Amino acid sequence: MAALCWVSTMPGTEAWGRPGQSFEEARDHWAFQPIRRPALPEVRDADRVRTPVDRFLLARLEAEGRGFEAPAEARTWLRRVTYGLIGLPPTFEDVEALERDDSALARERVVDRLLADPRYGERWGRHWLDVARYADTKDLVLLYGRDAVRPYAYTYRDYAIRAFNEDLPLVDFVRDQLAGDLVEPPLPAWRLAGLGFLTLGRLFDNNPHDRIDDQIDTVTRGMLGLTVSCARCHDHKYDAILIDDYYSLYGVFASTEQPYRLPLIEEPSLVPGGIEFEGKLAGALATLEEHLDVHYERLLGVMRGRLGDYLHRAATTRPDLTETAQFALSLTPDDFRPALVLKTRRLLAERVRPEDRVFGIWAEWNELADDETFADRAREVAERALAVALEHPSGEGPRHRGVAAWLSENPPASREEVPRRHGEMLLALDEARGGRSCGEEAYFEGVEVQEVALLVKGPSSPVWFPRRDTPDHLSRPEKDRYNQLVLALDKLGAHAEQAPPARAMVVTELSAPYEPRVFARGNPSRPTRAVSRSVPRVLTGGEVRPFGAGDSGRLELAEAIGSPDNPLTARVIVNRIWMQHFGEPLVGSPSDFGTRSDPPTHPELLDWLASEFMAGGWRWKPLHRLIVLSGAFAQGTALGGGGVGEGGGPTYEGYPRRRLDLEAMRDTLLFVSGRLDPAMGGRPVDVAGDAGNRRRTVYGLVDRQNLPGLFRAFDFATPDQCVERRPYTTVPQQALFAMNAPFTIEQAKALAAATERIPEAGERVGAMVRQVLGRRAQEGEIRKALAFVEGEGDSEAERGTLSAWEQLAQVFLISNEAVFLD
């Protein structure tokens, strides 16, 4: 039967195309060279140097015959640094205080105050959430509908905010997010929430391979600046990243699972209704666990009884795409379980060989012609095998005694019967468990009993699966019930009137780590050579450094990412921080430091900052101080964008004007109108649809599959993938929001109401300007404002529902001076 040959043509190894860069060439690429600490360059205009940062920028400018712009006025610098560190404007009192303080340490005191402000974590935590592709909901909207909210996703957002406020060193920050559950001694409970970095991505229709790919992509682009996911199907086209490297990381993340029972990070007794909620949750968990236990044992029994059917199907049919897509199938009790068919194919491809003790007879039968003499010749093959087996009384010969004895007495009549005959044989031998089960002389014991048991009931069996995979094999009614029970866990938390005790969305280790194999062309149904779990070899000069055998390797991966010997991580993080302060990064592609990226515009500055970052204990706040206290940061505004050097890229000749991002814009409207709610943390709220919501935008619900129009209009980061930088666009929807949105109008009304007790009209205008713009009003501004409110502006009909003073307040709130940063 020709189809039987499929068991012997499964791919072994294939010739992969080489990557576009060898490991030797990678050593010469700027990103993979060791971080060095360059000497500070000499500059002519030394008076403009405030921190070492300035020497690198000035040296470049002076070489091109240019220099820094004149310093910005105190108010401009204060707005710049306050928005940069806490995402809010300074108050008029803050501006006045700085203008009065002419001491040398005045600006340092401002920066230290802002870095100590809890709102700093809200600002910089949000920047990291872009990298972490954070969202509060799942993406299977057709399946979950209004129940798509992940009830504990917010704990990762709160973790990021707290980590920045506590200035958690980057090495700890990375370790928390990749392996916080593996650290000894155990971390404080709140830091377990960092594992949301791995668990809050898309579900990809429950495709496990795509979910692991998303984790690989987020970790490598977000923390290493490497596009490792490009090597999923072949060696990287441009960089020294092999397909083996991809599957080495695949093995790391495939060795974890997300538990149903999430660890508490908040004491239930301290939460209103917490004890009662925990009782309900425990009951729901118990029901789910019982459902899985019952069907797991039942399914194992059913699959075991069909062992011969699975062997026959795998041996006589071509591989099917559904064998890697069980997550999208609706199964009936009689259906073959695709993943088990795939597992059976792999078993036969590896073991139907002449040298195999159990399946060697099958391999010999495959060589026989399928005609009327097949049965006699098949018996002869089995009898010869039995004679060879009995030459080894210890049972350790080239043939299994029990297998050979049973098959010699029950040979197949045709090749069609071979697979099922082997299934019957294995079940019969396992039931006999040794002894005189196949004739007086056919004893089998010890290792032979174990060999059979493993193939019938153990992990080596083609029809065995771990309990965690039970949902993949359930029939439609049982699977629907399972989905309901899992969803019930989330619904309990998401729809509780009061926030339940907080939990961390963690991962846990499998009992035995996954042993990765390269998938030919990325196809999970075509596993080839085995690889070890390890970091990409481009970080080790081409050397394979396997992780330990006992666990997933997540902790070792985290330590490798945060190692001072790794030249990428510090550069990547420093580049991201620089980009947020200046609008443009030193490396134009913050998530790709490979050969397709442009080199740094200021390589010496990048390395100096990276070395300073590491020398300072990998802490964020000292790096912020270096940047925002620099003369470059204190320059006047460059309306042309900061200048372009002779080699391309920004020269930082002047500070570039830019529009406030969504969070800063919305938070500013609330802040200057006196309505910003300072509460921190907790469940997400509707900041886009609820005009009366006063929480900071970082606490707004991020709906992955239905991102609000407000978010899209103001260039919010897509939560579907790791985002290296947000675009900055100017589109009509932004102006329409400013003029017509109920939220903007609410703030205008609040600002007008806050100043209505000021009896003198000119003073009232001045108060509005001080509140919104942080400066004193000019006489011309007051004159025009009064002319407007006293009737020389729009008519009552043209103003609509807003009074003249409310409309004037709106003018100040949406002015370029308020929503652009100089």
Side-chain angles (χ1 to χ4, degrees):
M1 187 172 172
L4 279 173
C5 68
W6 280 106
V7 300
S8 58
T9 58
M10 293 285 285
T13 59
E14 296 191 10
W16 311 106
R18 292 297 90 193
Q21 185 187 49
S22 68
F23 292 123
E24 291 72 23
E25 291 169 329
R27 293 191 185 100
D28 296 328
H29 182 60
W30 65 267
F32 300 114
Q33 294 179 22
I35 294 174
R36 59 188 180 86
R37 188 176 179 85
L40 299 179
E42 296 294 328
V43 295
R44 293 190 296 274
D45 193 3
D47 291 341
R48 298 301 303 274
V49 175
R50 295 188 178 180
T51 73
V53 167
D54 299 318
R55 291 190 173 274
F56 294 98
L57 298 177
L58 267 176
R60 163 84 176 269
L61 286 170
E62 290 176 351
E64 298 178 5
R66 295 190 275 185
F68 282 163
E69 289 281 342
E73 61 180 16
R75 171 179 168 272
T76 300
W77 177 86
L78 185 60
R79 272 177 57 84
R80 199 178 289 170
V81 72
T82 307
Y83 272 115
L85 294 180
I86 67 171
L88 292 170
T91 64
F92 175 73
E93 291 73 23
D94 293 335
V95 175
E96 290 275 280
L98 181 62
E99 290 178 339
R100 287 194 303 268
D101 189 348
D102 57 359
S103 67
L105 299 179
R107 296 194 176 191
E108 292 188 26
R109 285 194 288 267
V110 168
V111 171
D112 290 340
R113 171 176 58 82
L114 294 172
L115 289 173
D117 191 321
R119 295 174 295 184
Y120 158 78
E122 294 174 328
R123 179 62 169 169
W124 281 86
R126 179 59 254 184
H127 289 324
W128 182 255
L129 296 183
D130 286 6
V131 176
R133 42 80 171 110
Y134 174 81
D136 291 291
T137 65
K138 308 162 191 170
D139 52 310
L140 298 176
V141 66
L142 294 179
L143 175 62
Y144 296 112
R146 63 182 293 270
D147 296 319
V149 172
R150 284 170 160 150
Y152 306 107
Y154 73 89
T155 61
Y156 177 74
R157 175 246 291 152
D158 289 352
Y159 162 82
I161 291 171
R162 184 170 177 180
F164 276 97
N165 275 333
E166 297 198 6
D167 205 16
L168 198 66
L170 177 69
V171 290
D172 295 335
F173 190 58
V174 169
R175 191 182 299 120
D176 287 359
Q177 294 177 86
L178 298 185
D181 57 317
L182 303 179
V183 176
E184 292 293 342
L187 297 173
W190 70 271
R191 287 173 61 178
L192 285 177
L195 287 165
F197 186 77
L198 296 179
T199 58
L200 288 176
R202 290 178 57 198
L203 295 177
F204 296 97
D205 292 326
N206 287 327
N207 183 332
H209 312 295
D210 286 350
R211 292 175 68 176
I212 292 172
D213 179 74
D214 173 64
Q215 291 173 327
I216 293 171
D217 184 60
T218 304
V219 170
T220 57
R221 290 205 300 128
M223 297 177 174
L224 292 170
L226 294 178
T227 54
V228 173
S229 282
C230 292
R232 181 177 182 178
C233 304
H234 49 72
D235 290 335
H236 201 291
K237 188 174 181 180
Y238 303 108
D239 297 333
I241 301 172
L242 304 177
I243 191 171
D244 294 36
D245 295 322
Y246 177 91
Y247 288 98
S248 292
L249 291 177
Y250 182 99
V252 172
F253 298 113
S255 298
T256 66
E257 61 181 335
Q258 297 182 34
Y260 301 110
R261 296 177 183 270
L262 301 176
L264 279 165
I265 56 176
E266 189 175 30
E267 173 54 48
S269 62
L270 302 180
V271 178
I275 299 296
E276 180 183 359
F277 176 86
E278 288 302 306
K280 293 179 181 178
L281 183 62
L285 280 166
T287 303
L288 172 61
E289 299 285 1
E290 181 183 6
H291 183 76
L292 288 173
D293 288 339
V294 168
H295 290 289
Y296 177 59
E297 294 301 328
R298 183 186 64 79
L299 278 169
L300 281 181
V302 171
M303 296 303 117
R304 192 178 305 129
R306 298 188 65 190
L307 177 58
D309 294 338
Y310 276 87
L311 292 173
H312 182 268
R313 183 175 180 85
T316 60
T317 63
R318 292 174 178 269
D320 190 323
L321 288 177
T322 63
E323 291 170 15
T324 60
Q326 75 271 16
F327 46 86
L329 299 179
S330 178
L331 299 170
T332 69
D334 295 330
D335 284 332
F336 284 98
R337 271 44 187 174
L340 299 185
V341 175
L342 175 60
K343 186 179 180 185
T344 308
R345 291 189 196 282
R346 293 175 180 173
L347 174 80
L348 299 185
E350 293 173 357
R351 299 200 56 177
V352 178
R353 302 173 185 272
E355 64 274 14
D356 192 272
R357 282 167 47 84
V358 175
F359 293 94
I361 296 175
W362 184 338
E364 292 188 57
W365 284 345
N366 278 346
E367 301 300 319
L368 302 179
D370 194 10
D371 54 25
E372 65 277 0
T373 66
F374 183 88
D376 293 334
R377 287 182 292 130
R379 185 186 300 276
E380 293 172 4
V381 168
E383 288 175 347
R384 286 199 303 270
L386 178 58
V388 170
L390 294 178
E391 292 175 0
H392 300 270
S394 65
E396 297 179 358
R399 288 288 182 264
H400 188 291
R401 291 177 298 173
V403 169
W406 196 96
L407 292 176
S408 67
E409 293 189 359
N410 303 276
S414 68
R415 189 175 292 172
E416 170 76 23
E417 292 185 9
V418 169
R420 285 199 173 89
R421 192 69 81 213
H422 270 70
E424 294 167 5
M425 172 269 296
L426 289 171
L427 291 174
L429 296 188
D430 180 67
E431 185 176 353
R433 296 181 183 278
R436 198 174 287 112
S437 61
C438 308
E440 290 297 320
E441 301 145 21
Y443 288 92
F444 67 104
E445 55 193 356
V447 67
E448 292 180 305
V449 173
Q450 286 186 333
E451 283 180 291
V452 171
L454 287 173
L455 285 167
V456 175
K457 298 176 179 176
S460 300
S461 171
V463 292
W464 180 90
F465 56 90
R467 179 180 179 275
R468 67 176 181 276
D469 291 346
T470 302
D472 295 335
H473 305 300
L474 292 172
S475 299
R476 179 61 182 269
E478 292 81 13
K479 182 64 174 289
D480 288 347
R481 175 60 176 159
Y482 163 80
N483 288 334
Q484 292 170 1
L485 293 174
V486 172
L487 186 58
L489 300 180
D490 284 353
K491 288 170 69 174
L492 271 175
H495 300 317
E497 290 187 12
Q498 294 177 311
R503 283 181 146 78
M505 294 191 63
V506 300
V507 296
T508 57
E509 299 281 273
L510 299 185
S511 57
Y514 176 85
E515 299 301 333
R517 288 181 176 271
V518 172
F519 296 159
R521 300 186 183 279
N523 185 346
S525 66
R526 299 181 62 200
T528 62
R529 61 183 174 276
V531 294
S532 59
R533 297 183 302 281
S534 62
V535 297
R537 276 171 276 184
V538 71
L539 297 179
T540 60
E543 178 187 353
V544 178
R545 297 179 184 173
F547 294 147
D551 55 38
S552 65
R554 285 184 290 124
L555 185 57
E556 291 172 273
L557 175 62
E559 290 170 346
I561 290 174
S563 169
D565 296 328
N566 171 13
L568 288 171
T569 306
R571 287 187 176 119
V572 167
I573 297 302
V574 163
N575 190 55
R576 293 191 189 282
I577 294 174
W578 183 273
M579 175 181 67
Q580 297 299 344
H581 282 303
F582 279 95
E584 286 293 332
L586 296 169
V587 180
S589 50
S591 293
D592 183 5
F593 278 25
T595 59
R596 300 295 286 176
S597 66
D598 291 328
T601 57
H602 298 74
E604 293 83 7
L605 173 58
L606 180 65
D607 269 20
W608 188 89
L609 287 171
S611 65
E612 188 73 8
F613 183 49
M614 292 189 293
W618 301 80
R619 293 188 177 275
W620 313 77
K621 292 185 179 182
L623 191 62
H624 287 303
R625 292 183 91 259
L626 269 173
I627 294 173
V628 301
L629 288 172
S630 67
F633 190 81
Q635 293 178 88
T637 305
L639 299 182
V644 177
E646 295 174 357
T651 62
Y652 305 100
E653 180 184 15
Y655 190 86
R657 168 177 284 180
R658 50 184 170 146
R659 175 180 54 79
L660 297 180
D661 59 24
L662 167 68
E663 292 88 345
M665 178 275 298
R666 182 182 173 278
D667 294 348
T668 293
L669 293 178
L670 287 167
F671 181 75
V672 300
S673 64
R675 302 183 71 243
L676 183 65
D677 182 351
M680 296 181 67
R683 292 198 287 187
V685 294
D686 182 9
V687 301
D690 180 6
N693 193 288
R694 301 191 295 164
R695 295 291 304 277
R696 283 201 78 170
T697 312
V698 69
Y699 300 115
L701 177 75
V702 180
D703 190 339
R704 170 168 275 126
Q705 210 147 4
N706 189 25
L707 204 61
L710 170 64
F711 285 30
R712 297 194 300 271
F714 284 91
D715 306 314
F716 187 80
T718 174
D720 282 342
Q721 62 183 356
C722 173
V723 173
E724 64 175 17
R725 61 192 300 188
R726 295 188 188 183
Y728 277 90
T729 62
T730 301
V731 294
Q733 289 88 338
Q734 296 167 0
L736 291 171
F737 170 82
M739 292 185 291
N740 303 316
F743 175 81
T744 308
I745 292 171
E746 283 294 315
Q747 312 325 310
K749 290 179 177 179
L751 179 59
T755 59
E756 67 181 354
R757 293 187 179 181
I758 300 176
E760 204 278 314
E763 280 296 318
R764 188 176 181 184
V765 172
M768 283 188 178
V769 172
R770 291 193 299 273
Q771 182 74 9
V772 177
L773 304 179
R775 61 170 174 81
R776 297 183 186 280
Q778 300 173 0
E779 289 186 10
E781 290 173 321
I782 296 176
R783 190 164 53 250
K784 291 178 181 179
L786 292 178
F788 174 78
V789 297
E790 290 171 0
E792 294 182 19
D794 294 339
S795 68
E796 200 70 33
E798 291 172 323
R799 290 171 183 156
T801 59
L802 293 181
S803 69
W805 280 103
E806 289 169 344
Q807 198 170 47
L808 178 65
Q810 186 179 10
V811 168
F812 290 133
L813 288 173
I814 68 175
S815 64
N816 279 358
E817 187 175 350
V819 298
F820 276 78
L821 191 61
D822 289 329

